[in-house]
Amino acid sequence: MPCLTGNRRAALLAACLLLNAAVARTDDDRAAPPAGEDEQAVLFGELPSVFSASRHEQPITKAPAAVDVITSEQIKHYGWRTVAAMLGSLPGFLVTYDRAYQRVGVRGFAPPGDYNTRILVLIDGHRINESLQDYAGLGRDFPVDVENIERVEVVRGPASSLYGSSAVFAVVNVITLRGRDLQGVRLGGEVASYGSEQGQVSYGQKFANGLEGLLSASYYHSDGHNSLNYGNLGSADWLDQEQVERLFGKLAWGDFTLSGGYMQRKKYLPAGSVGADFGVPGSNYHDRRAYADLNYRHTFSGDWEATGRLFWDGYEFDDDLNSRPAPQQLLTNQDYWQGNWLGGEVLLSHTFFDSHRLTLGSEYRRNYSQHMANYDLQTGFQWADNRLNSSIAGVFLQDEWAILDNLSLHAGARYDHYDNFGGTANPRLGLIYQPFADTTLKLLYGTAFRAPNAFETYYTCCSGTWIGNPALKPERIESYEIVLEQKIGEHFNVRFSPYYNKLSNLINQVDADVRQFRNQGNAEAHGLETQLQGHYRNFEGRVSYTYQQTRIAGLEQAPNSPSHMIKFNLSAPLWQDKLFASWELQYVSQRANPGYAATGAYTVSNLVLFSRKWLPGVELTGGIYNLFDEDYADPRIPPNANLPDHIPQDGRNLRLRLGLEF
């Protein structure tokens, strides 16, 4: 374990003591459950099943992966404001923020500049990674408000055998609320530090005839930091603004569900960017994301289950990148990108001979518009006008064989074909053994891939400064993992997950006379994730330790990859089931930043109070984030010396939210 300062060591010791105290109760205490315990079962009890690991409901102990589930109750209690923050509370996940996008790394692989391309992100099973850069927004740019999330299923490990590209390190499936979960109107409003404010209105209902619907809209605005200090480059003043609008809807009738959403976000760039000088006002990124999804699911007689999906997606991006070649001269370079795609998938599942559950599926996506343009505003000169289209097709088969009552084998594979590089096949094997009722051992093997995206493959711009590379091959991962899950008594669960990953054909940007992406390296990673969860009555806690080592060819240490992470969460009632206090602590060890100074270790704590039931339909949340005002930064590898390599993070900040349902 890394050396800790006295304060950090004391904070971690206090965390462990609080977790023990939260669950240490006598047999007499257990004999008399308090009122309202049933209402807390979703938060404080073990969820019985997970969908995303095998694309059908199954007990978590039967899933061929290490799985975590974050519930809506936990989201409320811990005051998480983004999906990235939720993931950051889990072992093996690291969240960084360059003041433009929140980026999530997994198991020691978190290169600065990645757009979450090696994580597959789903909303109700619908793919969110877009068609130009595989970008998946997990911060304020996520298409759904956190208040509309019912649960988040996090499946670790390669999953291309089921989902195709981008499912390299994890699959994150965000399950949204249904109309019945509201049964009326919900209003929400919040204020927070840095001149931040948000308002939301939602309506949900399940009618007597079975029709069920939910509609929600929200608006968020933040002035951001007045001043951000970037060391010898100086400060960025009043350049951190952000604005987000969202619209989400869901309509269900019988076996059919129609859902869709729209999000637009404008974020100003205090740290500058490629093409935007540091400290010049007005530079910003502007993202828009929309989708529509029609899903059909039906169980026929004889244990046949069929699922079908039709979908349409759209993504638009533009920016203003300002530079000053001379003190009185302002140049604005602009990008305009647009991606539109549609497609469908079908799945058919049946159990044969009472022991083999077979699932056959296929998917097709047509990128009918992939447009990437770049031009100068003042002169009107166009540097790039890339117009593309492409198709992707995949088919997969999975067999879940119950060899014995306590022994099962999961075997499957998927074949995908891409227009630009051809085909790729990816298998998965999992052996699950339960020697005792409370013990589960999983031996897992799998491969996965990330297809070279349109930007990496074809983007050509700026008189040869950017050159596409149609010869790119997909990145690949080969993964070995052991998962040991043990239930200890009635109140504890512990998990140990040692793993080894081998990556090949890594796609990296080469900066020489021209910028181009090339398959230029391999990597190896090994590590251990440990997690202890406890729950008792209205108490809930989790503590985890992660050790990881990642080596990328040509580098002594992988960038932005801490060797040690310690995380602690505890939620405890202060007054019956009406008032809760929740504490979150995260320790992240030093991270390398090849070519620049390393980023120091840090410890951050959050404290949140959550209350309800004092008045009918009223919920109140108050949070202090970065409680002890830790001064820390995230690394960024800049393309030139005129941009910062360290990005300062938020100090102590406050949030107050009021929710009303009627």
Side-chain angles (χ1 to χ4, degrees):
M1 182 178 292
C3 295
L4 305 177
T5 65
N7 289 337
R8 289 170 179 164
R9 191 180 294 113
L12 293 173
L13 178 61
C16 295
L17 293 174
L18 279 172
L19 179 60
N20 290 333
V23 297
R25 296 299 179 94
T26 65
D27 291 337
D28 291 339
D29 290 333
R30 288 193 295 267
E37 182 171 349
D38 291 342
E39 298 176 3
Q40 301 299 315
V42 173
L43 175 58
F44 303 112
E46 181 182 353
L47 285 177
S49 64
V50 63
F51 181 87
S52 308
S54 299
R55 303 192 73 163
H56 66 78
E57 296 287 344
Q58 62 185 163
I60 291 179
T61 55
K62 299 291 186 180
V67 178
D68 282 302
V69 177
I70 298 170
T71 69
S72 60
E73 284 294 292
Q74 290 172 316
I75 295 171
K76 292 178 180 180
H77 283 238
Y78 291 107
W80 291 315
R81 294 175 280 186
T82 65
V83 176
M86 302 174 204
L87 298 177
S89 72
L90 301 177
F93 282 82
L94 174 69
V95 179
T96 57
Y97 180 43
D98 64 0
R99 313 218 72 89
Y101 298 103
Q102 286 191 307
R103 309 168 192 272
V104 177
V106 189
R107 291 185 166 176
F109 203 84
D114 180 68
Y115 289 92
N116 305 319
T117 62
R118 298 170 179 92
I119 303 172
L120 179 63
V121 181
L122 310 170
I123 297 178
D124 297 322
H126 179 99
R127 176 186 289 262
I128 293 302
N129 301 66
E130 48 87 19
S131 67
L132 300 176
Q133 287 187 297
D134 287 327
Y135 149 64
L138 290 169
R140 294 284 184 184
D141 47 351
F142 190 71
V144 175
D145 289 306
V146 296
E147 288 80 11
N148 292 327
I149 295 176
E150 189 270 328
R151 71 182 187 275
V152 180
E153 298 180 352
V154 182
V155 181
R156 290 173 176 77
S160 289
S161 62
L162 287 175
Y163 293 99
S165 180
S166 300
V168 175
F169 291 108
V171 173
V172 177
N173 191 11
V174 176
I175 312 298
T176 61
L177 296 177
R178 301 162 298 177
R180 72 188 72 176
D181 298 317
L182 281 186
Q183 287 297 104
V185 176
R186 180 184 63 205
L187 302 177
E190 71 175 61
V191 292
S193 299
Y194 313 123
S196 304
E197 56 190 14
Q198 180 173 4
Q200 182 195 47
V201 57
S202 303
Y203 173 76
Q205 195 72 250
K206 183 174 182 179
F207 301 95
N209 61 2
L211 181 66
E212 187 170 12
L214 183 144
L215 184 63
S216 179
S218 69
Y219 172 82
Y220 171 83
H221 172 82
S222 176
D223 293 333
H225 285 258
N226 296 349
S227 181
L228 288 163
N229 184 7
Y230 290 93
N232 62 349
L233 290 178
S235 64
D237 300 328
W238 297 104
L239 301 178
D240 193 35
Q241 299 94 331
E242 182 175 13
Q243 183 172 308
V244 185
E245 294 97 28
R246 294 190 187 95
L247 180 66
F248 175 74
K250 196 172 185 179
L251 186 66
W253 175 271
D255 296 324
F256 291 91
T257 301
L258 176 64
S259 60
Y262 173 79
M263 179 281 306
Q264 74 163 341
R265 172 183 183 254
K266 177 175 281 191
K267 179 65 180 69
Y268 287 83
L269 309 176
S273 177
V274 177
D277 289 347
F278 173 79
V280 179
S283 295
N284 68 85
Y285 290 152
H286 186 201
D287 297 278
R288 281 90 71 201
R289 184 70 168 86
Y291 78 96
D293 184 286
L294 178 62
N295 186 66
Y296 170 82
R297 187 179 181 188
H298 184 79
T299 300
F300 297 90
S301 60
D303 193 33
W304 287 89
E305 184 176 295
T307 302
R309 183 188 303 273
L310 296 174
F311 55 83
W312 172 89
D313 287 81
Y315 173 69
E316 282 187 288
F317 169 83
D318 63 73
D319 57 25
D320 292 321
L321 303 177
N322 295 329
S323 60
R324 289 192 183 278
Q328 302 302 320
Q329 184 181 11
L330 177 67
L331 295 181
T332 301
N333 181 259
Q334 295 183 326
D335 291 287
Y336 176 75
W337 292 15
Q338 182 182 41
N340 296 108
W341 62 104
L342 51 79
E345 64 177 10
V346 293
L347 283 79
L348 185 63
S349 179
H350 181 65
T351 301
F352 295 89
F353 312 116
D354 296 326
S355 60
H356 289 269
R357 176 168 182 144
L358 288 177
T359 302
L360 175 65
S362 65
E363 179 186 9
Y364 175 78
R365 298 200 308 273
R366 174 63 177 171
N367 298 309
Y368 63 88
S369 176
Q370 294 172 294
H371 182 204
M372 296 174 287
N374 180 278
Y375 52 91
D376 287 334
L377 178 64
Q378 282 82 4
T379 66
F381 185 82
Q382 188 160 23
W383 294 99
D385 188 20
N386 301 271
R387 298 177 182 268
L388 315 165
N389 57 74
S390 60
S391 297
I392 305 161
V395 60
F396 68 89
L397 178 66
Q398 176 179 261
D399 181 18
E400 300 172 48
W401 178 20
I403 303 173
L404 300 171
D405 289 342
N406 64 345
L407 180 65
S408 62
L409 176 67
H410 296 246
R414 172 166 167 151
Y415 176 81
D416 290 90
H417 186 272
Y418 282 69
D419 289 348
N420 57 329
F421 65 82
T424 176
N426 292 273
R428 178 175 75 167
L429 291 172
L431 188 66
I432 301 178
Y433 177 51
Q434 292 182 286
F436 309 104
D438 295 334
T439 304
T440 301
L441 178 66
K442 303 177 182 181
L443 306 178
L444 308 173
Y445 167 81
T447 70
F449 76 102
R450 181 181 76 86
N453 56 54
F455 173 66
E456 296 164 336
T457 306
Y458 298 113
Y459 186 69
T460 299
C461 178
C462 311
S463 299
T465 302
W466 287 91
I467 296 180
N469 186 1
L472 283 175
K473 300 176 181 179
E475 294 182 346
R476 295 190 60 82
I477 185 174
E478 187 175 10
S479 178
Y480 302 84
E481 183 176 1
I482 299 173
V483 180
L484 176 62
E485 300 170 343
Q486 177 67 50
K487 185 176 180 181
I488 304 174
E490 299 180 9
H491 306 298
F492 286 100
N493 291 278
V494 64
R495 184 177 72 212
F496 298 92
S497 302
Y499 65 87
Y500 171 77
N501 293 330
K502 184 176 181 180
L503 295 97
S504 58
N505 291 331
L506 288 177
I507 299 174
N508 295 314
Q509 179 182 315
V510 178
D511 286 324
D513 295 330
V514 298
R515 293 189 179 113
Q516 187 180 52
F517 290 92
R518 299 176 188 171
N519 294 110
Q520 205 185 39
N522 301 324
E524 292 186 358
H526 65 273
L528 171 66
E529 296 170 356
T530 65
Q531 178 173 262
L532 172 66
Q533 291 180 296
H535 63 87
Y536 177 77
R537 295 188 178 180
N538 288 342
F539 291 84
E540 186 257 0
R542 179 176 69 230
V543 61
S544 69
Y545 167 69
T546 299
Y547 168 78
Q548 54 194 19
Q549 287 293 322
T550 303
R551 294 289 183 266
I552 297 178
L555 297 177
E556 182 177 345
Q557 186 175 353
N560 196 32
S561 181
S563 296
H564 307 275
M565 292 189 292
I566 300 172
K567 300 179 181 182
F568 174 84
N569 290 78
L570 175 65
S571 180
L574 298 182
W575 180 259
Q576 299 179 355
D577 61 345
K578 296 182 179 180
L579 179 62
F580 292 84
S582 300
W583 182 31
E584 180 174 23
L585 179 146
Q586 295 183 11
Y587 166 79
V588 175
S589 68
Q590 176 177 310
R591 293 164 286 170
N593 196 6
Y596 300 88
T599 303
Y602 67 86
T603 303
V604 172
S605 293
N606 304 322
L607 179 63
V608 174
L609 296 179
F610 171 69
S611 70
R612 62 181 171 195
K613 297 184 179 180
W614 297 95
L615 295 172
V618 177
E619 294 182 346
L620 184 63
T621 304
I624 307 176
Y625 301 84
N626 195 355
L627 178 65
F628 299 109
D629 201 23
E630 179 88 342
D631 184 9
Y632 71 108
D634 283 334
R636 166 178 159 183
I637 300 177
N640 59 63
N642 296 322
L643 296 178
D645 59 347
H646 287 176
I647 309 297
Q649 301 301 298
D650 293 344
R652 184 187 298 114
N653 62 98
L654 309 176
R655 172 191 178 231
L656 181 64
R657 181 182 184 276
L658 175 65
L660 175 62
E661 294 185 14
F662 55 91

